[in-house]
Amino acid sequence: MLPPSTQYAIKQLSPPGLPSKSEENQILIDAFPSYFKFKHNTFDLEPGTGLCVNISRFNHSCLPNCCRQYIPDHKIMLISAGLKINPGDELTICYTEKNLVDGYKMHQQSIYDNWGFLCKCIACKETTDGNEKTTSTTRNDAINNDKNNTLQNTLVKISKMDQLLGKLANSRKPQLAYNVGVKLLKLYEQIPIRTFHFQRTYHDMYQLSILKKETLKQAELHLKKTVEYYEYLLGGSNPECIELQTIKKYLKHPKSHPLYLALE
């Protein structure tokens, strides 16, 4: 049984917004308040799902200033700064990116359907109802809309290229996948992207580079960048998580990696 303090904290979580203010929806939330609080405040922990009481109080942003990383061997969800945060700035995380690959409107609709609110972050702030943009009445409005469209398009492009990288790698097309990774890293520099994306992409490129002798030097550079970003994400957690220990082992002993020169 959960400690009384944890039970109280869960009870204080806000219920979800109602995308449809229907009597049926309200009846469901009134009848099953604990279920809906759990459903709308949990995180995918790979594998499984978990409720993180404190982190559930973070608001969402499609371009958040914080990263969240689940550390399975420590059984904790770690929050770290994804970029420079000024005193007084609200700390935000991204609830989901699953639907970005299907376009920005689908992404916004997914947030609305699951959490019952319209995102007003820097990438979404020109959106009025999740489907239509406001009409520009001044030159400054037009410039802001162009910037907004660029942010949205970049986020969608990143999601699609990230998915493509995985598909190409699984299809045994390492060079094509590597080229996509290079383009992804350049895209990340265009927006205030979270550190987690750099860490993951550098690690993917390392695994693609270690396949052949001619790219081993690149593999070492990519793995060093992976360690750099991973350590930044973890913020010096002690003891180190198993995944980071394994990555550092490959840095010292590259031949111990199961994919080492697999295509030679």
Side-chain angles (χ1 to χ4, degrees):
M1 179 177 290
L2 294 173
S5 59
T6 303
Q7 294 183 44
Y8 177 79
I10 292 174
K11 289 179 180 179
Q12 299 310 303
L13 291 174
S14 299
L18 291 174
S20 173
K21 302 291 184 178
S22 66
E23 183 179 354
E24 180 182 357
N25 271 347
Q26 190 60 59
I27 290 174
L28 286 172
I29 287 187
D30 289 343
F32 307 103
S34 297
Y35 167 75
F36 281 99
K37 285 184 179 182
F38 184 82
K39 181 177 183 292
H40 290 267
N41 288 286
T42 53
F43 296 92
D44 293 331
L45 301 183
E46 298 181 5
T49 302
L51 176 62
C52 304
V53 176
N54 292 329
I55 298 174
S56 295
R57 297 185 178 277
F58 278 67
N59 282 330
H60 163 85
S61 172
C62 300
L63 279 173
N65 53 19
C66 293
C67 313
R68 57 183 174 91
Q69 178 93 348
Y70 180 61
I71 313 298
D73 41 309
H74 292 186
K75 296 183 179 180
I76 60 170
M77 179 76 79
L78 188 67
I79 297 292
S80 59
L83 43 83
K84 183 179 178 180
I85 300 175
N86 297 316
D89 287 351
E90 180 184 14
L91 303 181
T92 56
I93 59 176
C94 182
Y95 289 176
T96 181
E97 297 177 320
K98 291 180 180 178
N99 293 92
L100 266 173
V101 71
D102 298 317
Y104 207 81
K105 290 181 180 179
M106 290 295 294
H107 167 67
Q108 291 176 311
Q109 189 64 47
S110 173
I111 294 171
Y112 184 65
D113 290 343
N114 284 281
W115 289 279
F117 67 87
L118 297 173
C119 183
K120 300 294 183 181
C121 71
I122 187 174
C124 297
K125 63 182 179 180
E126 298 296 328
T127 303
T128 55
D129 63 356
N131 295 302
E132 297 177 359
K133 299 280 194 265
T134 54
T135 302
S136 297
T137 56
T138 67
R139 183 174 180 274
N140 286 338
D141 287 337
I143 292 173
N144 288 335
N145 276 339
D146 287 342
K147 183 179 180 181
N148 178 65
N149 289 334
T150 299
L151 284 173
Q152 294 181 4
N153 291 337
T154 301
L155 286 171
V156 172
K157 188 180 294 185
I158 284 173
S159 183
K160 290 183 176 181
M161 292 181 68
D162 185 56
Q163 185 182 82
L164 178 60
L165 189 156
K167 287 182 177 179
L168 290 172
N170 292 332
S171 300
R172 299 186 179 182
K173 297 178 181 178
Q175 188 57 55
L176 290 175
Y178 184 89
N179 293 341
V180 171
V182 172
K183 293 179 180 179
L184 262 176
L185 291 174
K186 291 181 179 179
L187 276 177
Y188 294 159
E189 296 174 357
Q190 295 181 17
I191 59 176
I193 198 71
R194 294 167 299 290
T195 312
F196 167 74
H197 286 74
F198 279 102
Q199 178 261 319
R200 185 177 64 186
T201 300
Y202 272 119
H203 189 249
D204 288 342
M205 295 176 71
Y206 157 71
Q207 294 189 95
L208 293 166
S209 302
I210 204 170
L211 295 169
K212 301 182 71 174
K213 186 175 182 180
E214 63 190 58
T215 53
L216 284 180
K217 288 186 178 180
Q218 292 172 307
E220 182 180 3
L221 293 175
H222 293 323
L223 194 57
K224 286 181 178 179
K225 296 296 288 187
T226 302
V227 171
E228 175 188 336
Y229 280 107
Y230 212 145
E231 288 182 331
Y232 181 87
L233 272 173
L234 298 179
S237 298
N238 190 26
E240 291 180 343
C241 66
I242 294 175
E243 185 176 0
L244 181 56
Q245 291 177 20
T246 302
I247 291 173
K248 286 186 173 182
K249 182 191 74 173
Y250 292 145
L251 192 58
K252 292 182 178 179
H253 309 286
K255 292 182 180 180
S256 64
H257 195 284
L259 296 178
Y260 184 78
L261 301 184
L263 295 183
E264 290 293 325

